Amino acid sequence: MRLQRLLPIFILFIVTGLQSSYSQQSVLMKAFEERIESLPYQIQIDTLLSTSLLPVSDSLPGAIVLAKKALEISLKNHYIIGSAISYQYLGNAQFLEDQFDRALINLEAGIKIYDSLKDTEGVMNCQKSMGSVYMKMGNYDEAIKRYLIAMKIAEQLLGKDTTAEIYGHIGTALNYQRKYDQAISYLETALSKNPPLSIKHKILNSLGISIKHTGDFKKAEEYYLESARICVETQTDMCEVYAYNSLVSLYREIDQPKAIQYAHKIIDQLENVKRNKEILVSVYNNLGAIYMDQLKYDQTIFYLKKALALSKETHQGNRYIIHANLSFAYEDTKQYKLALEHITTYWQFKDSLLSVEKSKLVEEYLTKFQVEKKEKEIMLLKKDKELQEAKLANNKAELHKQALIRNTSIASSILIITVMFVMFVFYRQKTKDKELLAQQAKEVAKQKKLELIRTHEIKTIQASIEGQEHERQRIAKELHDGIAGSLASIKLSLSQLTDKYGASEPLKKIITNLNDTYEEVRTISHHLTPPRITNTSFIELIDNYLKELSALCKIHIGTHYYPKDKIDQLPEHIKSEIYRILQELITNIIKHSQAKHIEINFTITDGRLSLLVEDNGVGFNTQTTTTGIGLRNIVSRVELLHGEIDIDSYLGRGTILNIAIPISG
């Protein structure tokens, strides 16, 4: 897809018009659509995607909203290349908003379409973006895998700038894995390709990190300073901060006062800025480690807590290092319960995020950290000993007279201290063992209690849902056999009277209304009866239900299924519950949202079924709105299937509800 020459002027015209009229995103999107709907759909898509790349502004809809609209138009018009590019833009926009799982789904969809079109450049760009997503998530093995695929394609396309950037990304990922020799090889290759300055400063910074860990601090400092110089020269936003952060890590090893100075310079610049919080996590962690080296534990714990809070907020994958540092700090300050909590969390994170090789490296790091700490303690003891020896030299004459007494006293003191130290170590270890055993027993009891509560909750939910199903069937039977039968009998009697004596217009109208009521009762009875899923295609069953509802309620309902064959092959109990969940969702939307359009997406990936329902209604405040019966029923059914539910809604913006249910394992 190539933009028309006049497209930038057209976008500027649209943006200028919007800035003077609207501020709310939903209103902006509506106005935006009205301005471009008369254009060919290809130019509509170009306009939407180009606008999504403009700087963030209160006068424009968000990039995700624009990309979704472009995707909707592409799918509606079967515009294949437009769909691929829209998936790519949507994935990139979601990545910038930390919506990593959604970003991966849309980028993967883009790859499949690009691959079917044999568009290798599109595949390369999506693979590179997926590498960046996995890097942010802390899954460095998968990130490197994606970058290598992108690099292979880039080398075939002979794009030197692109290959330099990808080599740099791979080197950065290898740094996170502590494979510094391999990282240096990739980063030096990236520099040899003469990358532009916008890429070169990043490569230099990563190369400095690799060199620092080989022990050559002087050369690492040269790379960091060169990176900072390029940042100043190009006036790249936030670039200089990254270089300063690397200098903090370097000077932590060789000049701690200078490291603290650079760290506070970064904090002053970023602490009140909403973005780039990942750098602050690194800065706070480094400050905590520096103050721990200096045995200043109040400052240590203060900055490590700030690092931990920010790492949770930004979903960083290397949070386990902060937990380890906090564990050491609490152990040194004799807060053993807190130390145990953080070291337990560290092992949990390590097991879930690191490969075996990474685990060994982290253990080596922790061992090295402990050894360095003990060496510093020994150095302090040596300094004390040197001071004592100096005092002894000054008083040599007097001490010589008392040599026998002194030697005897020292020998006795050493013996007593040794015995007391051994007893103290034994007692301390015994106390720790008792506390640990008591804590473990408490945790086991707590887990058993939680399992019993969970089992009881599931049984209660299941009984509640079964009771609802029985009540639905009873009401359906009463409606069908009772009210519907009576209405049919009345209708027949009236029809016989009209055949015998003729019918006036009011009587005919009564018969028509009676017939409509009869049909409505039959429809309600049908919807209350459990669907016959076994003998019918699940997708066909859903489509038929939604078509009837759409015609009845004058509302447009769009559906997307991927892959259709797997969705039709879902286990029967999941089909039944999903059907009921969908009924509750659509009923709630029709009753409360005032929506004119509903979009429903069924997707199966990685052994999980995702049901995404989006409407353009009035929305609601998820913090203050009381959960209604319908929503409670939905939550109960999702919990029964061991699934998760996420509701994203704001007043005036509509609602997005995402349900994820495991279907394997």
Side-chain angles (χ1 to χ4, degrees), residues 469-487:
E469 290 297 334
H470 289 318
E471 186 63 13
R472 283 174 180 265
Q473 293 178 38
R474 187 188 67 78
I475 295 172
K477 185 176 181 182
E478 290 293 333
L479 288 172
H480 186 274
D481 297 344
I483 297 174
S486 298
L487 290 172

Side-chain angles (χ1 to χ4, degrees), residues 258-492:
K258 189 176 285 187
I260 294 173
Q261 176 187 348
Y262 273 101
H264 284 290
K265 186 180 292 187
I266 296 171
I267 291 171
D268 291 340
Q269 188 168 346
L270 293 184
E271 204 156 32
N272 295 320
V273 178
K274 292 183 179 179
R275 55 198 178 94
N276 301 105
K277 293 182 179 180
E278 296 88 349
I279 305 177
L280 277 176
V281 173
S282 176
V283 172
Y284 289 147
N285 186 55
N286 278 326
L287 271 176
I290 291 169
Y291 285 125
M292 183 153 53
D293 291 342
Q294 298 176 354
L295 306 181
K296 297 178 180 179
Y297 292 108
D298 288 341
Q299 294 96 319
T300 297
I301 294 171
F302 172 79
Y303 283 108
L304 289 177
K305 279 185 174 180
K306 296 192 76 167
L308 184 60
L310 266 185
S311 71
K312 291 178 180 177
E313 182 179 337
T314 54
H315 309 289
Q316 291 199 38
N318 59 351
R319 197 188 310 161
Y320 58 92
I321 294 295
I322 304 171
H323 282 291
N325 285 338
L326 274 169
S327 176
F328 297 147
Y330 283 127
E331 181 185 2
D332 289 346
T333 56
K334 296 181 173 53
Q335 300 180 63
Y336 300 119
K337 183 177 179 181
L338 291 172
L340 179 61
E341 289 177 2
H342 284 284
I343 203 65
T344 302
T345 306
Y346 155 71
W347 284 113
Q348 291 172 350
F349 267 87
K350 189 201 75 166
D351 291 339
S352 61
L353 296 176
L354 303 179
S355 64
V356 174
E357 183 177 357
K358 290 179 186 176
S359 299
K360 291 180 180 177
L361 289 168
V362 171
E363 289 168 11
E364 290 174 7
Y365 166 80
L366 294 173
T367 302
K368 180 181 177 183
F369 188 91
Q370 289 280 36
V371 170
E372 289 177 352
K373 188 170 68 170
K374 294 299 181 185
E375 287 177 350
K376 288 176 181 178
E377 291 175 356
I378 292 171
M379 288 292 293
L380 290 174
L381 291 173
K382 284 183 177 179
K383 287 181 179 179
D384 289 338
K385 186 177 179 182
E386 288 172 0
L387 289 173
Q388 292 296 330
E389 289 177 351
K391 290 180 180 178
L392 289 172
N394 292 332
N395 300 295
K396 187 176 180 180
E398 182 180 351
L399 292 173
H400 181 71
K401 295 178 183 178
Q402 302 176 4
L404 183 59
I405 299 173
R406 183 199 63 189
N407 291 339
T408 304
S409 299
I410 290 174
S412 301
S413 299
I414 291 174
L415 180 61
I416 293 170
I417 290 171
T418 302
V419 172
M420 291 180 66
F421 180 75
V422 171
M423 291 177 65
F424 173 74
V425 170
F426 177 76
Y427 173 76
R428 183 182 177 187
Q429 187 61 44
K430 190 175 180 181
T431 304
K432 281 186 176 181
D433 290 343
K434 286 182 179 179
E435 290 177 353
L436 185 58
L437 287 171
Q439 184 67 23
Q440 289 175 345
K442 186 177 178 182
E443 288 296 325
V444 170
K446 183 179 178 182
Q447 289 299 324
K448 288 182 178 179
K449 182 178 178 182
L450 289 174
E451 287 175 8
L452 289 172
I453 292 171
R454 180 62 179 164
T455 302
H456 177 71
E457 288 177 349
I458 290 173
K459 287 181 178 178
T460 303
I461 291 168
Q462 193 166 13
S464 175
I465 291 174
E466 288 175 357
Q468 291 176 20
E469 290 297 334
H470 289 318
E471 186 63 13
R472 283 174 180 265
Q473 293 178 38
R474 187 188 67 78
I475 295 172
K477 185 176 181 182
E478 290 293 333
L479 288 172
H480 186 274
D481 297 344
I483 297 174
S486 298
L487 290 172
S489 176
I490 295 169
K491 176 186 171 186
L492 180 61

Side-chain angles (χ1 to χ4, degrees), residues 96 250 576:
L96 293 175
L250 175 67
S576 179

Side-chain angles (χ1 to χ4, degrees), residues 109-246:
I111 289 173
K112 289 181 180 178
I113 300 176
Y114 278 131
D115 194 51
S116 69
L117 296 172
K118 301 190 183 304
D119 186 341
T120 54
E121 184 175 357
V123 173
M124 177 196 71
N125 289 328
C126 286
Q127 291 285 8
K128 188 169 66 172
S129 295
M130 288 189 77
S132 298
V133 176
Y134 280 119
M135 180 94 83
K136 191 75 175 290
M137 294 171 70
N139 189 344
Y140 305 119
D141 288 334
E142 189 64 28
I144 291 172
K145 174 184 172 183
R146 298 292 181 166
Y147 284 138
L148 287 172
I149 294 172
M151 185 176 68
K152 184 177 179 180
I153 298 172
E155 288 175 342
Q156 292 172 351
L157 296 174
L158 301 177
K160 292 185 177 180
D161 290 351
T162 303
T163 56
E165 182 183 9
I166 298 173
Y167 270 103
H169 285 321
I170 295 173
T172 301
L174 289 167
N175 272 342
Y176 282 120
Q177 292 186 315
R178 302 175 184 275
K179 299 177 181 178
Y180 301 115
D181 291 337
Q182 295 180 45
I184 290 170
S185 174
Y186 277 95
L187 293 167
E188 287 180 345
T189 302
L191 278 181
S192 70
K193 296 180 178 293
N194 297 319
L197 294 179
S198 60
I199 297 174
K200 186 176 181 180
H201 76 84
K202 298 177 183 177
I203 298 171
L204 286 167
N205 196 64
S206 294
L207 191 54
I209 293 171
S210 305
I211 296 295
K212 185 195 80 170
H213 285 92
T214 64
D216 192 344
F217 297 136
K218 184 65 177 175
K219 191 173 181 181
E221 184 181 27
E222 291 173 3
Y223 281 120
Y224 292 148
L225 292 174
E226 177 63 10
S227 175
R229 186 193 64 76
I230 293 174
C231 293
V232 174
E233 178 182 335
T234 58
Q235 297 183 346
T236 304
D237 184 32
M238 299 303 299
C239 167
E240 193 174 359
V241 170
Y242 283 95
Y244 286 158
N245 187 42
S246 298

